[in-house]
Amino acid sequence: DSEDDWSDTQSIDSCEAYINFESIRDPSTQLEEAVSFSWPGIYQHRDDGSTEEEIQQQEEEVRVLRKITISTLLEEDDLAPLFGGCQWAGTRLWGAAVRAIQYLAGHLEMDESNSCGSGAKFELSSSGDNKTTLLELGCGLGVPGIIYHMLGANVVLTDQEDILTQLEKNVEENFPSTVISNEASSSDSSAAQHYIRAMPLSWSRAGVHSLLEKLQLSTAGFDIVLNCDCVFEPLYGKSWHLLNESIDELLRINPKCVVVSSMERRGPADGIDLFIEEMKGMEYVGSVEKVYYEEKRKIEIYVTRGLE
């Protein structure tokens, strides 16, 4: 997003204003160290570390939105590959990620100016008594998945192993009561009532199988698969082939899974058209529909469903 898009705090439509986004910088260097954000309607409570006195005060006065603070500093061992660009991109929060979680949460205004196809708001088949499960691919900071966990879902955040240290630390510090570490046994996710965890995933059918096996979800898969700004050929090359392969395998395992792809267009050579065209021809893909397009930020959201 351009600086104007993010700094227009007078507009409720601003990505920054909507999630109360704040960049936290070192006073002496002005270099960013972390970012913080909150979500409308999610307030502090006991699990956030509030004391009884603070809780009582919140109830008597004005409830305080729960603030999530996540570090954007890469670990020392991860700094060398930074010049490749992928690790740097994983420390940024992009507008497409904000729009994606707004769409999933039903907070995105859909009208004739921006809705496409059926123009329908997000709908998911019932998970019965179980919590909705969400897998975020190439999650970077993991903001959409983190917010969806705050809204009640069980979430698995995935990205390259070389930026996972930062992701794991951020999740552990913000969700001490619901996080499952990678040192935990494979049965912990299936036994937990409400959980979030960060795990490495190399996009491929084999990678998907390995991940699901570790989570004991080999037959169930996920209800929702989310990817935000994972396609941009000048930076990521043609890795979208592997992204499609992973999506196709997840739909094979659970045809009722809903895949949401949110992307910002950055020119005709961004690779998005090729990505979508290939996705439509994947073996286990039943339909691909563009549901949202925002002219100002060039953000597109696609919903992909399996063969039912």
Side-chain angles (χ1 to χ4, degrees), residues 46-271:
R46 285 182 177 84
D47 289 344
D48 302 328
S50 299
T51 65
E52 292 292 336
E53 184 178 347
E54 288 171 334
I55 293 168
Q56 184 176 0
Q57 183 178 8
Q58 291 166 22
E59 291 174 349
E60 292 175 352
E61 299 177 2
V62 179
R63 289 183 295 177
V64 178
L65 287 173
R66 180 179 182 184
K67 180 180 288 189
I68 300 294
T69 301
I70 52 181
S71 170
T72 56
L73 296 176
L74 289 169
E75 296 297 316
E76 186 175 348
D77 292 343
D78 299 332
L79 291 176
L82 182 61
F83 301 102
C86 296
Q87 283 76 9
W88 170 81
T91 67
R92 302 294 87 206
L93 175 62
W94 307 102
V98 178
R99 290 294 182 248
I101 189 58
Q102 284 180 293
Y103 176 69
L104 287 176
H107 288 209
L108 189 58
E109 291 296 326
M110 307 280 283
D111 56 36
E112 293 181 358
S113 67
N114 57 33
S115 62
C116 309
S118 65
K121 290 194 174 184
F122 179 72
E123 291 185 3
L124 183 68
S125 300
S126 173
S127 300
D129 295 330
N130 299 321
K131 285 187 177 293
T132 298
T133 56
L134 179 142
L135 171 68
E136 187 172 357
L137 302 171
C139 70
L141 294 176
V143 173
I146 285 172
I147 291 173
Y148 213 58
H149 176 66
M150 292 165 66
L151 292 170
N154 289 333
V155 171
V156 177
L157 305 170
T158 63
D159 211 315
Q160 303 172 72
E161 191 160 11
D162 55 6
I163 65 169
L164 205 69
T165 304
Q166 176 199 58
L167 184 61
E168 287 180 314
K169 182 179 178 182
N170 284 330
V171 171
E172 288 169 1
E173 289 182 351
N174 284 283
F175 302 98
S177 62
T178 56
V179 65
I180 297 178
S181 71
N182 286 329
E183 284 72 40
S185 67
S186 60
S187 62
D188 284 355
S189 290
S190 57
Q193 294 271 323
H194 187 207
Y195 67 83
I196 183 170
R197 66 186 303 174
M199 300 185 72
L201 174 63
S202 295
W203 294 342
S204 66
R205 293 186 190 275
V208 168
H209 277 286
S210 177
L211 176 72
L212 294 180
E213 187 175 318
K214 290 174 183 175
L215 294 168
Q216 294 193 344
L217 292 173
S218 295
T219 57
F222 288 89
D223 299 317
I224 303 170
V225 173
L226 175 65
N227 65 94
C228 303
D229 263 341
C230 287
V231 179
F232 183 50
E233 281 198 4
L235 189 59
Y236 306 130
K238 295 186 180 296
S239 60
W240 52 265
H241 288 302
L242 296 174
L243 176 57
N244 267 333
E245 183 179 312
S246 301
I247 289 170
D248 195 49
E249 189 62 20
L250 287 159
L251 288 172
R252 184 191 70 79
I253 293 166
N254 180 10
K256 293 184 178 180
C257 169
V258 179
V259 180
V260 176
S261 305
S262 182
M263 297 163 287
E264 180 181 337
R265 300 306 304 250
R266 295 179 172 89
D270 57 18

Side-chain angles (χ1 to χ4, degrees), residues 25-33:
R25 298 178 181 273
D26 183 306
S28 60
T29 65
Q30 286 304 301
L31 294 176
E32 184 180 84
E33 297 181 327

